[in-house]
């Protein structure tokens, strides 16, 4: 009787098991580092503000800054949307001139390799919510607060402008 992996015929079994464990560890690292497991992904607000300021710079507007008070208001709105997610419509609820935008992003989009989540967010918002585009290009706004909450499937992102 021989121990598994000690026979010359079984040497590839050891290599296969090591490669399998390395693959599982690598996949677990990618999932954990993508933020898909986090309820509040801290990368989203910073990436949003960067993209907003790029859009504003292209239109020769002053960049907006993050504001703590607005962030708290946006976070409260985001939590409210998360709680009422079964009845909340993903269609925009903002009217023209409103300074709040709310939208839902699937978490799986953050785990896909090479997927441009910023492009997805901005394409969806610019096509579905005219008030978001209006707010981005409003030269009177100098501050923005971005609140992010999540559940098992989605991120609920609220933005307050001032």
């Amino acid at each position: 009787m021989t121990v598994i992996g000690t026979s010359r015929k079984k040497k590839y079994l050891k290599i296969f098991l090591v490669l399998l464990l390395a693959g599982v560890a690598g996949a677990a690292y990618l999932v954990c580092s993508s933020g898909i497991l986090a309820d509040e992904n801290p990368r989203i607000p910073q990436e949003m503000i960067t993209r907003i300021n790029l859009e504003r710079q292209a239109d020769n507007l002053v960049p907006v800054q993050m504001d703590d008070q607005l962030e708290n208001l946006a976070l409260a709105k985001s939590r409210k949307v998360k709680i009422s997610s079964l009845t909340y419509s993903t269609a925009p609820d903002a009217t023209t001139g409103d300074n709040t935008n709310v939208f839902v992003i699937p978490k799986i989009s953050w785990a896909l390799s090479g997927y441009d989540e910023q492009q997805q967010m901005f394409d969806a918002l610019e096509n579905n919510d005219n008030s978001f585009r209006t707010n981005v290009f409003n030269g009177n706004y100098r501050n923005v607060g971005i609140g992010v909450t999540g559940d098992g499937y989605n991120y609920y992102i609220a933005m307050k402008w001032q």
Side-chain angles (χ1 to χ4, degrees):
M1 178 173 212
T2 59
V3 178
I4 294 177
T6 57
S7 168
R8 291 201 116 163
K9 294 179 183 178
K10 308 260 179 160
K11 70 179 180 180
Y12 295 109
L13 179 62
K14 289 181 188 177
I15 295 171
F16 174 74
L17 289 176
V18 168
L19 290 175
L20 181 66
L21 288 175
V24 168
Y29 172 76
L30 289 175
V31 167
C32 290
S33 65
S34 71
I36 193 169
L37 301 177
D39 281 343
E40 297 176 6
N41 191 330
R43 293 183 348 203
I44 293 175
Q46 190 56 46
E47 290 181 10
M48 290 287 296
I49 198 77
T50 300
R51 179 63 189 262
I52 288 168
N53 284 332
L54 285 173
E55 295 285 335
R56 289 175 66 92
Q57 181 183 12
D59 208 41
N60 294 324
L61 295 171
V62 177
V64 292
Q65 303 294 320
M66 289 290 286
D67 182 84
D68 291 337
Q69 183 180 7
L70 290 174
E71 186 176 356
N72 290 336
L73 292 172
L75 188 57
K77 177 71 172 180
S78 176
R79 288 179 180 152
K80 181 179 175 186
V81 171
K82 175 186 169 186
I83 290 170
S84 64
S85 64
L86 294 177
T87 59
Y88 185 78
S89 170
T90 57
D93 65 347
T95 58
T96 304
D98 192 4
N99 66 347
T100 304
N101 300 108
V102 177
F103 53 101
V104 179
I105 301 282
K107 278 189 170 183
I108 192 67
S109 64
W110 290 84
L112 298 176
S113 177
Y115 188 77
D116 187 0
E117 66 278 349
Q118 288 183 5
Q119 191 65 37
Q120 179 213 6
M121 286 189 283
F122 276 80
D123 283 350
L125 289 174
E126 289 175 354
N127 293 331
N128 297 332
D129 188 354
N130 291 332
S131 68
F132 172 73
R133 185 166 181 75
T134 303
N135 288 340
V136 168
F137 293 112
N138 187 335
N140 296 326
Y141 290 147
R142 301 281 188 252
N143 297 312
V144 66
I146 302 171
V148 179
T149 56
D151 59 16
Y153 304 105
N154 299 311
Y155 286 117
Y156 303 92
I157 303 171
M159 299 177 71
K160 275 300 234 188
W161 300 84
Q162 185 180 40

